[in-house]
Amino acid sequence: MNQAVLSAALAEAMPSPAPLVSLRDVSKSFDNGTVALEALSLDVFEGEFLSLIGPSGCGKSTALRLLAGLSQVSGGSIDWRDPARGERGRDIGFVFQEPTLMPWASVEANAALPLKLLHLPAGEIRLRVEQALALVGLHNFRSAYPRELSGGMKMRVSIARALVTRPKLLLMDEPFAALDEITRFRLNDDLARLQSELGCTVVFVTHSVYESVYLSSRIVIMAARPGRIVHAIDIIAPLPREEAFRRDPLYGAVCAEASRALHDAMGSADHL
Amino acid sequence: MSADIKSSTQARPPFFERHAAKLGVALPVVTLAATLGLWEFYIYASGTPAYKLPAPSDIVKATISGWSILFSSLLVTLRIALLGLLSAVIGGVVIAILFTRSRWIEMCFSPYAVILQVTPLIAIAPLLNIYFGFEATIYLSAFIVGFFPVLSNTLTGLRSTDRGLVNLFALYGASPLEILFRLQLPSALPYFLSGVRIAGGLSLIGAIAAELVSGAAGEGTGLAFRITESGYRGNIPRMFAAVLLICLCGILIYAVTSLVSWLLLRRWHESALRQDA
Ligand SMILES: Nc1ncnc2c1ncn2[C@@H]1O[C@H](COP(=O)(O)OP(=O)(O)OP(=O)(O)O)[C@@H](O)[C@H]1O
Ligand SMILES: [Mg+2]
């Protein structure tokens, strides 16, 4: 815990670069009166792996949807460092909680969809799809259909699809929630490796404290009703981490701190 | 002990399960053969004349002897039914797409689609006959009955696109046309195809019914007319022969539409997958 505090102090002392995107006092309420987010301020820095954890209904998915431009803020603003990147999500990859594949299309065609929608030349598309499928270890399944794949494989297709555009920012909404622990650990490692290879920024939503600590350079803990940030932890161990990190004292300390913060956040929510 | 039971059932699954595929073909064939055999035997044993009730062999003979007349009528009926079906398919899909494009269009026109569906064809065919003449009436009838199943199924299909995929397309800035062709139409395909299967049978029924009601006669007439005509002339075996051909036509249409549906869906849609395939 001390180290985590120290890391926060270090981060403050260092001159921080301009964030890739910042949410300023963002609030979001829905037509039915639900206030999903209130006065949420969050900077996302280039190259970081940021995890959002928090009780169900605290607005994690809502925050991702706002970042992706799939939904509009009710108050506050979302400022991009590069304003020219426009509203179109060219530079954003989104891995939804469900694989969300087109059942009528092969693995290859599913992964190629973003590039086709961006009207890239066919040769370029083929090349990039091949690379993306190789990255997630599915190049031998390029002509399989989604129903012929296991849950973990479908999720990997979904990840490959998010990666084909080589996005600066990768948003992932509980991508591994439905998987068994072994597959989940393996995909965690794959993801950590991919992120450091591609150098992209990841905003990751999960319900697992351990997963978030293992993967992240920073964890943000949210509370519900209204959705807001209650705690943030920087984890200074370099990325990507390996299995040994799970036995590191730092890992244990951060897990404990995150769990406590999460527990407090849960307690502040009225029980349903 | 439970393991014993399990392994013994695995070694010898029930007879029906082991031979399901073969039995699925064999049993109906045996049933049909037995029925025809009994029928033939009853006519032979009771000495019933063919003008009262023809034996299966009489029907076959009548089909062969009247083949040139019956076959040309068959082509007429089939051509009109298929033309009606084709128009119903195109019309149904186009209108369904228009309905999903605009609430206004849907509000203005969906009542008429329902009216077309609920009004008995038999009731309007004589009217159509007065205004449009005999051939157009048959064609319109085949179209009207086929139109609604295609429209309503396609509409359901277009509306049941996966929300997540809609988000994904929005994320990459897909245009409305791209969403239509890459997302909505493929999602609607299984629904559309089951609509076409229903419409195929109905179009044939519509064509036959309209022809019966409009009481056409003379050149270029279809199978329904042959039935009426043979009835007047007391040629009962030929009536049966015409019915047999209509029945075969219906089976043919069903088989072709089912085959097309299977070919298009077999790789990905649950409805076309065999268990454990
Ligand atoms: N389209 C919507 N209309 C109305 N309310 C919504 C809508 N989407 C989300 N909400 C509400 O907003 C709040 C936050 O939802 P959100 O999906 O962001 O939560 P979450 O943190 O992702 O939860 P979980 O961990 O269960 O996925 C919830 O109270 C939810 O009921
Ligand atoms: Mg969520």
Side-chain angles (χ1 to χ4, degrees):
Chain A
M1 184 191 153
N2 287 336
Q3 294 184 55
V5 170
L6 181 70
S7 77
L10 270 177
E12 246 165 59
M14 282 191 295
S16 52
L20 183 67
V21 56
S22 31
L23 292 89
R24 294 263 161 272
D25 288 320
V26 164
S27 65
K28 174 73 189 177
S29 42
F30 289 100
D31 292 343
N32 62 6
T34 313
V35 182
L37 294 174
E38 198 167 84
L40 182 100
S41 291
L42 177 67
D43 290 335
V44 179
F45 293 95
E46 180 135 27
E48 77 173 329
F49 195 116
L50 173 66
S51 284
L52 305 180
I53 61 177
S56 185
C58 70
K60 305 181 294 291
S61 301
T62 306
L64 288 194
R65 290 176 54 81
L66 289 174
L67 277 174
L70 292 175
S71 166
Q72 301 307 315
V73 297
S74 313
S77 62
I78 299 182
D79 305 320
W80 295 87
R81 187 180 62 197
D82 172 14
R85 54 174 305 298
E87 300 76 46
R88 292 282 184 242
R90 281 161 199 257
D91 244 0
I92 297 184
F94 201 141
V95 179
F96 301 96
Q97 187 165 346
E98 304 287 320
T100 320
L101 302 177
M102 300 178 290
W104 56 83
S106 65
V107 163
E108 201 168 28
N110 266 292
L113 179 75
L115 301 177
K116 285 193 187 138
L117 292 176
L118 298 176
H119 307 292
L120 263 65
E124 171 86 11
I125 293 181
R126 208 172 315 115
L127 201 76
R128 286 221 212 166
V129 167
E130 198 144 317
Q131 285 172 354
L133 288 179
L135 274 178
V136 298
L138 279 178
H139 42 291
N140 288 330
F141 289 87
R142 62 170 71 92
S143 48
Y145 279 70
R147 65 158 212 93
E148 298 160 347
L149 304 177
S150 72
M153 290 159 90
K154 282 185 209 157
M155 216 56 235
R156 281 189 278 162
V157 178
S158 177
I159 293 170
R161 180 182 59 195
L163 293 176
V164 278
T165 58
R166 295 174 194 153
K168 258 214 186 72
L169 178 60
L170 186 58
L171 308 173
M172 307 181 89
D173 194 353
E174 301 182 43
F176 310 135
L179 305 178
D180 67 90
E181 195 148 284
I182 308 269
T183 313
R184 191 174 180 141
F185 280 6
R186 198 173 53 234
L187 287 180
N188 281 173
D189 285 331
D190 290 348
L191 177 60
R193 179 178 50 80
L194 281 175
Q195 194 232 353
S196 63
E197 272 171 26
L198 302 175
C200 58
T201 309
V202 180
V203 181
F204 187 85
V205 168
T206 177
H207 274 286
S208 161
V209 168
Y210 306 103
E211 184 172 69
S212 66
V213 174
Y214 184 67
L215 289 171
S216 316
S217 51
R218 187 156 62 110
I219 302 179
V220 163
I221 293 121
M222 295 173 66
R225 265 164 295 264
R228 63 199 186 275
I229 294 175
V230 290
H231 197 71
I233 308 172
D234 284 290
I235 308 169
I236 38 165
L239 301 175
R241 295 161 191 150
E242 312 216 312
E243 203 46 43
F245 182 64
R246 292 187 200 275
R247 294 183 296 277
D248 193 301
L250 176 65
Y251 175 79
V254 178
C255 282
E257 184 182 350
S259 297
R260 200 168 336 105
L262 186 60
H263 192 265
D264 292 347
M266 297 264 191
S268 75
D270 44 336
H271 291 277
L272 295 174
Chain B
M1 198 199 131
S2 64
D4 278 335
I5 291 171
K6 199 173 170 215
S7 65
S8 72
T9 50
Q10 260 170 4
R12 277 193 78 74
F15 182 77
F16 271 96
E17 272 172 38
R18 266 184 296 148
H19 300 286
K22 278 175 265 170
L23 285 174
V25 177
L27 284 181
V29 169
V30 169
T31 317
L32 182 68
T35 312
L36 292 177
L38 269 176
W39 180 354
E40 187 82 41
F41 175 75
Y42 166 78
I43 303 292
Y44 170 77
S46 65
T48 309
Y51 61 82
K52 278 205 177 139
L53 178 64
S57 58
D58 296 325
I59 299 172
V60 173
K61 269 182 232 151
T63 311
I64 295 168
S65 68
W67 181 251
S68 61
I69 294 173
L70 287 174
F71 186 68
S72 65
S73 295
L74 173 81
L75 287 185
V76 170
T77 301
L78 204 54
R79 192 175 57 84
I80 298 186
L82 291 181
L83 218 58
L85 176 62
L86 186 70
S87 323
V89 166
I90 295 171
V93 170
V94 169
I95 303 284
I97 291 173
L98 288 180
F99 277 12
T100 52
R101 293 288 101 169
S102 147
R103 292 285 307 159
W104 287 105
I105 297 180
E106 182 179 9
M107 280 195 276
C108 290
F109 294 104
S110 62
Y112 299 102
V114 176
I115 290 171
L116 269 186
Q117 156 78 355
V118 296
T119 312
L121 182 71
I122 301 280
I124 45 172
L127 272 174
L128 293 176
N129 196 19
I130 291 174
Y131 296 107
F132 300 107
F134 153 70
E135 264 214 54
T137 299
I138 301 178
Y139 162 73
L140 279 174
S141 303
F143 165 72
I144 289 171
V145 291
F147 174 72
F148 194 78
V150 176
L151 171 66
S152 73
N153 275 35
T154 310
L155 210 48
T156 310
L158 289 173
R159 295 219 168 106
S160 56
T161 40
D162 184 85
R163 295 295 314 159
L165 283 173
V166 172
N167 278 328
L168 184 79
F169 276 70
L171 183 70
Y172 293 107
S175 69
L177 268 187
E178 282 171 328
I179 293 179
L180 177 67
F181 282 101
R182 288 187 186 275
L183 177 58
Q184 291 180 306
L185 287 179
S187 310
L189 189 64
Y191 297 83
F192 160 76
L193 288 170
S194 97
V196 171
R197 264 198 334 235
I198 300 168
L202 286 179
S203 289
L204 182 64
I205 294 175
I208 301 277
E211 199 187 338
L212 280 177
V213 176
S214 60
E219 298 285 305
T221 52
L223 279 174
F225 171 71
R226 294 298 161 209
I227 294 177
T228 329
E229 179 201 47
S230 312
Y232 286 141
R233 295 187 183 164
N235 190 347
I236 311 298
R238 184 172 288 180
M239 285 178 87
F240 272 91
V243 170
L244 177 69
L245 288 181
I246 292 173
C247 172
L248 292 177
C249 261
I251 293 174
L252 182 74
I253 292 177
Y254 185 79
V256 170
T257 49
S258 299
L259 179 73
V260 170
S261 168
W262 180 79
L263 285 175
L264 288 174
L265 303 182
R266 73 198 147 128
R267 285 297 305 265
W268 64 276
H269 198 256
E270 299 299 333
S271 67
L273 300 176
R274 271 178 296 138
Q275 231 88 70
D276 268 350

